[in-house]
Amino acid sequence: MFKYIEFSIYGASILLILIGLYGALVKKSLIKIVIGLSIVDAGVHLIFVAMGYIRGGTAPIFSPGFENDASRMVDPIPQALVLTAIVIGFAVTAVALSLVIRLYKHHDTLRIDEIKNLKW
Amino acid sequence: MVGTPVLLVVIPLLAAFLIPLLGMIWKELVRIIPGLVLLYMFILSATLLNQVLHTGPIVEVIAGWRPPLGINLVFSPFSGFLVTLMTFIGLMVWIYSYRFKQNVDFEPAKKYFILLMMLVTGSVGIVLTGDIFNLFVFIEIVGISAYALTAFYTERNSAEAAFKYLFMGALASTFLLLAIMIIYTQLGTLNMADIASKMPEMNTTYKITALVFLLTAIGIEAEMFPLNGWAADAYTESPGPIGAAFAGIVAKAGVYAMVRIIFTLFDVEGTMQFMLYIGLITLIVAETTALRQDRLKRMLAYSSIGQMGLIMVAFGIGTAEGVFAALFLMFNHAIIKPLLFFSGSYLVYNSKDKFIHETNGMGKHIPVTSILFALGAFAIVGLPPFAGFWSKLSILTAAADENMIIIIALILIVSIVELVYYLRVVNRIYFFKMAEGVEPKKPTFNALFVMVTLGVIILLVGFYPDAITGVLHKASGDLLDKTKYIQDVLSLNP
Amino acid sequence: MDMIYLVFLIFLSGAVISWLAGKVNHVLQDILFLASVIVPSVLFYMNVSVGQEVHFKAGGIDLSWGITDFGWIFSLIVLGLGVLAAIYSVGFMKGKERRGYFYFNYVLSIMSMLGILFSKDFVSFFIFWEIMTWSSYLMVIYNGKHTQSIGIKYFIFSAIGAYAMLMAIVISHSVTGNFMIADLITAYPVLSFNLQVLIPVLLLTGFGVKTAIMPLHVWAPGAYSNSPMAFTSVFSGALSKMGVYGLSIVMLSMISHLPEGFWFREVLAWMGAVTAATGTLWAIKQDDAKKLLAYSSVAQLGYIVTGIAIGTELSILAGLFLAVMHAIFKSTLFMAVGAIERQTGTTNFTEVTGLIRKMPWTFLASLMSIIALAGIPPLGGFVGKWMLYESLITSDHYMLIILVFFSSTAAFLYCYKFLFGFFLGQEEKEWAHVKEAPVLMVIPMLVLAGLSFVLGTFPGLLLKPIDAGMQALGFAPTNQHLWDTSILFNSWGNQVALQPILYAILAIFVVFTIFLTIKGYKNTRYVTTKDISSSGEVPKEHENLTFSVNFFQPFLRAVEPVMRRQIDKYYNGFANGLEALFDFTRKIYTGNGQTYAIYVILFLIIMLLMKNNIFG
């Protein structure tokens, strides 16, 4: 039964990535693109953490009763990496949204295929 | 001992955060501190480079956790050479942009210099790091500073350029994360040297998939075709000195990352060939597109992309001479392209759209800038006796030694195209009459100083290339020696 | 330091100093300029001997400089012409702007030409070749805006040639392991057949551009006519000979050892002859003296190329002799045109006539040069042409003989046009004020004209160094001297039969003329040109009696079909087609950020699908 949980988590994260890519590549509105990129990030983070899961493992924190029991802990490295990645993703989304605001002020539209002043 | 490599990353980071605080004490500090920091970084890296050229590379461990568990910085001849180059260009950018355009005011100057410091931090970090996730973090630092710097001026299309850059950069970081994930789950380590030593045991499918993701991600940063749609816009819309910084600092860091992955981390057959052909396509598409441009900075941007393609071709040749040629090309490009951007900024200073035909007749009014632009143009095309000739000769020699006749022919044909579009601009500067309503702007003293320094270096290397070929040979030898890298990192004493 | 270094150092620093000295004082600048050309030349001839070499390393590559006997011949052209044209330039540039620019590029051109002759390795050869190209390019665009496209055309063709040469250079490095020219020559006979064909073709493209062989000649008329005349004398006189120098080395050291080299020689000889013929035809058509001389240069270079290509001892002697003679007489002609331009302001035949009394020395120099160009004895051109014809006949190239004869004869037409159009004919009122050119401009012309006379009378003076040079390249003479295969010469290389007869005829003619003049002196009266009556009609003031304009219309009508196809048009069409193609390919960068992202994903998918094909 656990196998199904793992598969569903992997499947869900891959689905998230694909949905996010769809949003970023097909949708024309700038906000939807930014949201799509966010969703892609979420999917990647999810799949990364899920990769570190060990069946029956517990949180990788040394607490009373669980010292030196590292073999029963989930892999902490992906969690650390994903924390960093979440922060980075959040910062990038913030910059993206501020750019969207500026673009709207400049061009009066949110459609990406109408913002083509720089081409060729 | 002036310092250790970690200071090269820490000090600019600290300075970036302290600038607004110290700016509250005295406004001028906002402009002075970055200069002091960059000067210190340049001196430090030059001293360390001198040291590692004689003794071995310096491997510095962060936070006491030895590799392969912890993060380490590696200052070898190759990475040290690049760091020195980057800090030098950073110093030049600082001198040039001391009071450039909007930097005369306090608020924009503060933001500009913070972002510049972050840019330098990130790039130096990319080159120095020995850990693959650290690489990701530094790439992101560079990315965010670059997005913000591209969008620096508000009256132009800079937001559009920055958004495109951000879009593609976000995709790049996604793929980079996926690749790191595959590597980590298969090999269990994030340390570059450790990955390199464990790579032969990895499952081939996973290996190649990870390589593809990595190449796509780093390729976006290193302006490979067809992943370089963002590059032309970003170079065009960013402020002039930042365009120089992109060309001289960021792109070099991107190429370093790609080269480290291909030469040290992975051992897949056929990556060299791939780099060769992709580089060739990049070169051809970029140079032919540059021919049809009518805006000066966009033309320089495509020329820069083309040079990156040529560097990739040189790496792709795969022999020691090829790597030497690639490093020589990197050096020359890092010196000449900023000179072109710096002088080009003054040639179209007061123009809104920066059209090429607005540079007509500038030769009479700003003679020193024009002649330095002409010098840069001749040098980058590869005319003797300037610096670019020696690097072109070395790449052609390296290619000929491998009997790649068609590639030599293509490179030379593209050089002719390059010659044409640069000659057009140089002709306009000198022999056309200035258009109505265009006011030339005389460059300030610090801008002139920077341009003349770069020009002098070009002439010096052109007449006496032995000044740097020794360093380049050591650096190329260092890159190709994978086992030594692994050994140096993993065998540290506790 | 070694004398060779010193020579080049003086050239280089002289160039920079004479540019900067313009800010200080004009006279000082002129003196420094002349010094920077004359001093190294003197040093070279007095102190540097053949076979002296210097070696040094740059960028890890071994470079080696030294002059060979063969190069020594060309150094005569380069430095001799360089000094004389420098003196001429000082007079030419009086009152003109941008003198520093002119002087700088002039000295650099001379230095780089000498450097080419000195290079024993390919890298220095290429470096000097390129310096020569861009300094002459800067001269071509000296006159301003309308020269821009001409300048770019010149540079592009030179670059195509130079890059072809560069490709051959790196291939040679991959074969021999270093960049020495001598090593390529020794290794050449044992290369694979593909390389044996490829390397000379590439090298000949490079040299052919400078020698203006068809179809690589399209830059020459524009470039020669639009650069300042003081430089064109060096440009057409010495610079094109650098191509001849390279061409000879390729043909004589490499191709001649090849059994299949026969085809190379034939093709090249034909190209040279066709160039000569079409160049002459185009020269006849021109109304502007500069363009006429430019096309005529292309034609003369065609003769030289044919001579060298044929490959017998006599023909190579002919080619090299003609090369030196061409440098002498063509530069004099360009100098004359420069003088006329300076004094009258125009060089168009239809506008300027009758200058003989006003510019007598210019006329004398032009007369001698035209006689030499046409190949009339007793001047030098005759010797060269005779050797060329003789070699063509003795080597059985009958079709080529026809072409060469035809173009030589047609050359008379433009020779006549040049002389008559400028100097003879009726005098016009608007040119009544014209005076002779300044002394500094006249002296070099007269010196060069005198040289062509001397070399015509004593060709042995030139034949001996050429002989030594050819032997240095590996030509062993079958007889005692190389020129013994011609019936023209005695053992000192001087003309044997023709000379005395000719001088006798000339002497009789001169005596007769003087006799008639003295006899009829009392009965002569001066008349103006218009004091004639033809069928009872006296010509009016405004009628132009000069019939050198358009007098050969029937001839031109006859050769019209040949001249309709212009290679220039093909090149322009090709370039425009390329630009249209690039306009199309640049649409990849659509400007839509999403498109770029889609490119990324597409790239990724393709790589993932094809990953097993790409990677091992």
Side-chain angles (χ1 to χ4, degrees):
Chain A
M1 189 177 64
F2 280 126
K3 244 197 308 194
Y4 292 125
I5 298 186
E6 281 159 21
F7 271 139
S8 58
I9 296 187
Y10 291 145
S13 18
I14 294 184
L15 195 60
L16 270 180
I17 296 180
L18 289 175
I19 292 176
L21 275 179
Y22 169 78
L25 294 177
V26 176
K27 291 294 175 189
K28 300 279 182 250
S29 162
L30 282 176
I31 305 247
K32 290 187 188 169
I33 292 177
V34 176
I35 295 180
L37 287 176
S38 258
I39 297 181
V40 170
D41 271 341
V44 172
H45 299 153
L46 203 54
I47 205 175
F48 209 163
V49 175
M51 287 279 183
Y53 180 68
I54 300 178
R55 198 166 307 146
T58 175
I61 302 175
F62 286 135
S63 40
F66 284 98
E67 295 98 343
N68 304 329
D69 215 352
S71 55
R72 296 217 333 243
M73 291 181 185
V74 183
D75 194 349
I77 292 212
Q79 301 184 358
L81 302 185
V82 165
L83 273 173
T84 320
I86 290 178
V87 174
I88 293 177
F90 144 74
V92 171
T93 312
V95 174
L97 285 174
S98 60
L99 282 174
V100 168
I101 295 179
R102 186 120 76 87
L103 273 175
Y104 184 66
K105 271 206 212 126
H106 204 261
H107 294 265
D108 237 353
T109 172
L110 277 179
R111 293 179 57 93
I112 195 169
D113 51 357
E114 284 170 22
I115 305 179
K116 284 200 290 185
N117 280 351
L118 299 167
K119 50 186 173 184
W120 303 333
Chain B
M1 178 90 138
V2 190
T4 55
V6 71
L7 289 176
L8 286 169
V9 177
V10 163
I11 296 218
L13 196 55
L14 189 63
F17 290 116
L18 281 183
I19 284 179
L21 292 177
L22 292 173
M24 287 200 265
I25 307 176
W26 180 30
K27 296 228 166 122
E28 203 59 24
L29 273 181
V30 158
R31 292 189 201 95
I32 296 180
I33 289 187
L36 291 176
V37 168
L38 281 166
L39 187 63
Y40 170 72
M41 282 171 73
F42 176 57
I43 296 177
L44 175 61
S45 52
T47 322
L48 286 176
L49 181 66
N50 203 9
Q51 188 189 338
V52 296
L53 283 179
H54 298 298
T55 59
I58 301 178
V59 180
E60 175 150 1
V61 170
I62 310 290
W65 290 97
R66 275 191 298 119
L69 287 181
I71 296 181
N72 62 302
L73 297 179
V74 179
F75 194 99
S76 64
F78 180 47
S79 51
F81 166 70
L82 277 178
V83 170
T84 319
L85 195 58
M86 289 201 260
T87 48
F88 178 70
I89 299 293
L91 191 60
M92 292 290 123
V93 169
W94 172 74
I95 300 179
Y96 183 89
S97 48
Y98 193 77
R99 275 178 187 275
F100 183 72
K101 284 198 183 174
Q102 294 181 359
N103 281 353
V104 290
D105 297 325
F106 172 69
E107 272 298 318
K110 180 173 74 174
K111 296 177 185 139
Y112 180 92
F113 284 112
I114 295 178
L115 290 168
L116 182 64
M117 286 279 97
M118 298 290 291
L119 195 70
V120 172
T121 310
S123 313
V124 169
I126 292 179
V127 175
L128 282 181
T129 186
D131 179 286
I132 206 171
F133 191 74
N134 211 355
L135 183 72
F136 169 73
V137 172
F138 280 124
I139 289 181
E140 290 306 307
I141 296 181
V142 169
I144 294 200
S145 335
Y147 309 150
L149 276 173
T150 311
F152 198 67
Y153 292 147
T154 46
E155 350 34 270
R156 306 200 275 204
N157 292 315
S158 26
E160 180 187 337
F163 188 80
K164 288 183 204 162
Y165 192 359
L166 190 150
F167 196 167
M168 301 186 78
L171 284 177
S173 51
T174 311
F175 294 134
L176 192 52
L177 262 184
L178 281 173
I180 293 176
M181 185 186 75
I182 297 179
I183 292 178
Y184 179 69
T185 49
Q186 292 302 307
L187 293 179
T189 172
L190 290 172
N191 186 294
M192 282 190 195
D194 208 19
I195 295 177
S197 64
K198 290 193 180 143
M199 190 52 77
E201 306 149 6
M202 190 158 144
N203 180 322
T204 321
T205 324
Y206 285 128
K207 198 194 304 197
I208 299 186
T209 314
L211 181 65
V212 167
F213 277 127
L214 270 174
L215 281 179
T216 314
I218 305 290
I220 296 181
E221 282 299 316
E223 296 158 20
M224 240 164 59
F225 182 83
L227 313 167
N228 53 14
W230 59 270
D233 300 350
Y235 282 95
T236 318
E237 290 301 322
S238 53
I242 293 301
F246 282 166
I249 304 182
V250 176
K252 300 294 176 297
V255 171
Y256 168 84
M258 176 168 273
V259 166
R260 186 56 87 194
I261 290 171
I262 292 184
F263 280 82
T264 311
L265 291 185
F266 283 83
D267 58 357
V268 180
E269 295 269 323
T271 26
M272 306 282 184
Q273 290 267 50
F274 172 72
M275 259 192 113
L276 184 68
Y277 290 124
I278 280 281
L280 203 58
I281 299 177
T282 312
L283 177 67
I284 296 177
V285 171
E287 299 285 4
T288 54
T289 315
L291 184 65
R292 298 303 298 152
Q293 294 304 315
D294 52 5
R295 282 163 212 258
L296 184 67
K297 275 172 67 175
R298 209 172 164 85
M299 178 188 99
L300 289 177
Y302 279 117
S303 169
S304 196
I305 298 175
Q307 293 290 312
M308 286 294 133
L310 189 60
I311 293 175
M312 278 193 259
V313 169
F315 274 123
I317 295 180
T319 58
E321 285 105 31
V323 173
F324 170 76
L327 287 177
F328 208 162
L329 278 168
M330 279 172 90
F331 175 79
N332 278 331
H333 178 78
I335 300 281
I336 302 176
K337 221 2 117 31
L339 175 63
L340 284 173
F341 271 103
F342 287 150
S343 44
S345 281
Y346 271 104
L347 286 175
V348 286
Y349 196 89
N350 282 323
S351 136
K352 186 172 176 307
D353 282 316
K354 322 263 179 229
F355 283 119
I356 290 183
H357 60 73
E358 286 165 2
T359 62
N360 283 355
M362 283 289 174
K364 279 206 183 45
H365 300 267
I366 39 175
V368 182
T369 314
S370 312
I371 208 169
L372 285 169
F373 186 87
L375 178 69
F378 281 172
I380 208 162
V381 171
L383 289 182
F386 305 123
F389 164 68
W390 297 105
S391 48
K392 206 155 237 166
L393 183 67
S394 46
I395 182 177
L396 290 175
T397 315
D401 285 343
E402 298 293 311
N403 290 325
M404 300 173 168
I405 308 250
I406 309 271
I407 295 185
I408 298 178
L410 283 173
I411 294 179
L412 287 173
I413 293 177
V414 163
S415 304
I416 297 184
V417 173
E418 210 177 358
L419 192 67
V420 171
Y421 65 75
Y422 274 118
L423 269 186
R424 277 193 203 161
V425 180
V426 172
N427 261 330
R428 273 185 188 277
I429 295 177
Y430 280 108
F431 292 108
F432 281 47
K433 283 239 173 325
M434 191 149 71
E436 306 288 318
V438 174
E439 309 154 24
K441 170 111 165 90
K442 287 220 180 309
T444 57
F445 174 71
N446 51 325
L448 270 179
F449 173 75
V450 167
M451 293 194 269
V452 168
T453 314
L454 288 175
V456 165
I457 295 183
I458 294 177
L459 282 175
L460 195 68
V461 173
F463 280 108
Y464 187 58
D466 286 340
I468 51 157
T469 46
V471 178
L472 291 176
H473 272 300
K474 286 244 176 66
S476 62
D478 172 57
L479 173 63
L480 288 170
D481 201 347
K482 184 160 43 165
T483 43
K484 186 167 181 299
Y485 178 81
I486 300 176
Q487 214 179 354
D488 281 327
V489 173
L490 291 182
S491 62
L492 280 186
N493 296 323
Chain C
M1 78 167 82
D2 208 285
M3 193 54 63
I4 299 183
Y5 288 139
L6 192 61
V7 168
F8 283 104
L9 204 59
I10 298 182
F11 268 128
L12 186 60
S13 44
V16 176
I17 292 179
S18 42
W19 193 353
L20 296 175
K23 311 262 183 345
V24 175
N25 184 341
H26 281 304
V27 177
L28 182 65
Q29 188 181 29
D30 291 340
I31 296 178
L32 280 174
F33 167 64
L34 282 177
S36 55
V37 177
I38 296 181
V39 169
S41 317
V42 168
L43 276 179
F44 169 72
Y45 280 116
M46 297 202 336
N47 289 337
V48 177
S49 54
V50 174
Q52 198 179 347
E53 281 188 12
V54 290
H55 300 272
F56 58 99
K57 260 182 175 307
I61 303 174
D62 289 309
L63 302 180
S64 142
W65 292 355
I67 194 132
T68 59
D69 275 309
F70 188 63
W72 201 81
I73 309 167
F74 288 92
S75 76
L76 289 173
I77 305 177
V78 169
L79 288 179
L81 199 52
V83 168
L84 288 170
I87 302 177
Y88 178 85
S89 314
V90 173
F92 185 79
M93 292 300 287
K94 268 210 188 352
K96 294 226 168 99
E97 41 177 54
R98 286 202 285 226
R99 301 157 71 142
Y101 177 90
F102 182 96
Y103 289 156
F104 176 73
N105 288 316
Y106 186 94
V107 177
L108 271 187
S109 308
I110 303 286
M111 176 189 96
S112 46
M113 283 194 265
L114 192 63
I116 291 176
L117 298 173
F118 260 90
S119 302
K120 285 203 142 106
D121 68 282
F122 273 121
V123 175
S124 339
F125 189 93
F126 185 78
I127 292 179
F128 282 120
W129 187 272
E130 284 293 293
I131 298 182
M132 178 179 83
T133 302
W134 62 252
S135 56
S136 49
Y137 162 74
L138 288 176
M139 283 296 223
V140 168
I141 59 177
Y142 169 85
N143 274 323
K145 175 173 174 182
H146 61 275
T147 55
Q148 186 212 15
S149 53
I150 295 171
I152 287 195
K153 200 194 286 194
Y154 169 56
F155 211 134
I156 293 181
F157 273 96
S158 291
I160 293 177
Y163 285 147
M165 223 169 36
L166 188 59
M167 197 157 146
I169 291 176
V170 290
I171 294 179
S172 133
H173 173 87
S174 76
V175 164
T176 62
N178 62 17
F179 283 109
M180 294 291 158
I181 300 183
D183 286 346
L184 176 65
I185 294 179
T186 41
Y188 186 74
V190 295
L191 290 178
S192 76
F193 181 67
N194 290 337
L195 281 182
Q196 276 179 336
V197 170
L198 185 64
I199 295 184
V201 165
L202 289 172
L203 286 173
L204 285 175
T205 314
F207 298 132
V209 168
K210 278 293 186 295
T211 327
I213 312 178
M214 288 197 168
L216 301 165
H217 69 290
V218 284
W219 57 271
Y224 286 159
S225 39
N226 280 303
S227 31
M229 285 293 122
F231 183 69
T232 315
S233 50
V234 169
F235 201 170
S236 141
L239 222 130
S240 50
K241 306 302 176 299
M242 294 296 114
V244 173
Y245 172 73
L247 203 102
S248 337
I249 291 188
V250 170
M251 295 302 290
L252 299 181
S253 333
M254 297 208 268
I255 306 282
S256 53
H257 295 299
L258 215 56
E260 294 89 9
F262 174 73
W263 294 111
F264 258 109
R265 291 200 287 267
E266 287 302 299
V267 167
L268 201 57
W270 270 98
M271 282 164 78
V274 167
T275 311
T278 25
T280 315
L281 291 179
W282 276 101
I284 298 174
K285 197 163 173 266
Q286 302 301 323
D287 273 334
D288 180 17
K290 296 190 213 173
K291 279 257 165 68
L292 185 144
L293 287 180
Y295 278 109
S296 147
S297 282
V298 172
Q300 301 289 316
L301 286 168
Y303 292 144
I304 299 175
V305 168
T306 310
I308 297 187
I310 297 287
T312 62
E313 297 162 350
L314 193 58
S315 73
I316 299 175
L317 262 183
L320 292 174
F321 194 90
L322 271 175
V324 178
M325 286 314 300
H326 174 255
I328 295 177
F329 60 67
K330 199 37 81 56
S331 52
T332 320
L333 285 172
F334 274 114
M335 284 186 192
V337 170
I340 294 175
E341 182 186 37
R342 194 193 154 79
Q343 301 302 107
T344 63
T346 171
T347 53
N348 197 315
F349 291 125
T350 53
E351 296 174 17
V352 184
T353 59
L355 293 176
I356 178 171
R357 260 203 229 133
K358 306 194 184 61
M359 305 177 73
W361 298 114
T362 315
F363 170 68
L364 185 62
S366 319
L367 180 67
M368 308 271 270
S369 310
I370 289 285
I371 294 181
L373 195 158
I376 302 174
L379 295 189
F382 165 70
V383 177
K385 287 241 170 92
W386 175 281
M387 285 198 285
L388 184 66
Y389 299 152
E390 195 176 353
S391 61
L392 281 175
I393 295 179
T394 50
S395 54
D396 295 334
H397 288 97
Y398 296 119
M399 289 302 293
L400 280 180
I401 269 284
I402 296 178
L403 261 183
V404 172
F405 265 144
F406 168 72
S407 53
S408 277
T409 322
F412 275 117
L413 286 175
Y414 69 72
C415 290
Y416 174 80
K417 184 170 186 174
F418 186 87
L419 266 185
F420 198 96
F422 273 147
F423 299 105
L424 306 175
Q426 69 194 52
E427 297 173 352
E428 297 277 342
K429 282 224 186 23
E430 58 186 303
W431 307 121
H433 65 281
V434 170
K435 286 198 300 259
E436 180 59 89
V439 170
L440 278 178
M441 289 166 77
V442 166
I443 291 187
M445 286 198 272
L446 289 177
V447 169
L448 286 170
L451 255 184
S452 64
F453 182 76
V454 165
L455 284 179
T457 320
F458 301 109
L461 284 177
L462 186 56
L463 284 176
K464 288 205 186 63
I466 296 184
D467 187 34
M470 282 170 62
Q471 287 186 21
L473 275 183
F475 253 70
T478 49
N479 304 319
Q480 202 185 5
H481 304 282
L482 280 171
W483 58 75
D484 282 339
T485 43
S486 165
I487 63 170
L488 193 58
F489 302 112
N490 61 13
S491 57
W492 284 295
N494 295 322
Q495 294 181 28
V496 63
L498 215 46
Q499 212 82 6
I501 303 177
L502 201 58
Y503 283 127
I505 297 180
L506 265 180
I508 296 176
F509 181 68
V510 167
V511 165
F512 191 58
T513 316
I514 296 180
F515 172 66
L516 274 182
T517 316
I518 297 180
K519 184 101 190 302
Y521 187 63
K522 296 269 175 25
N523 301 332
T524 57
R525 70 179 168 98
Y526 280 112
V527 294
T528 61
T529 332
K530 302 245 185 195
D531 192 353
I532 60 174
S533 52
S534 45
S535 310
E537 281 187 38
V538 179
K540 309 248 186 336
E541 267 307 311
H542 62 269
E543 278 179 42
N544 194 343
L545 291 180
T546 311
F547 56 91
S548 72
V549 178
N550 271 341
F551 75 90
F552 32 71
Q553 275 294 32
F555 175 78
L556 278 180
R557 253 181 275 136
V559 298
E560 165 88 50
V562 176
M563 306 202 347
R564 217 178 302 149
R565 298 191 200 300
Q566 277 182 287
I567 300 189
D568 206 14
K569 294 208 187 91
Y570 291 134
Y571 282 125
N572 279 343
F574 179 68
N576 288 336
L578 270 187
E579 293 225 336
L581 175 68
F582 295 156
D583 241 345
F584 177 71
T585 56
R586 75 172 173 144
K587 302 260 164 78
I588 292 181
Y589 296 105
T590 60
N592 183 344
Q594 227 168 25
T595 323
Y596 299 151
I598 295 182
Y599 289 157
V600 172
I601 303 295
L602 275 178
F603 176 77
L604 186 67
I605 294 178
I606 294 179
M607 292 277 286
L608 284 175
L609 287 177
M610 296 188 32
K611 61 178 190 279
N612 290 322
N613 296 339
I614 304 178
F615 303 111

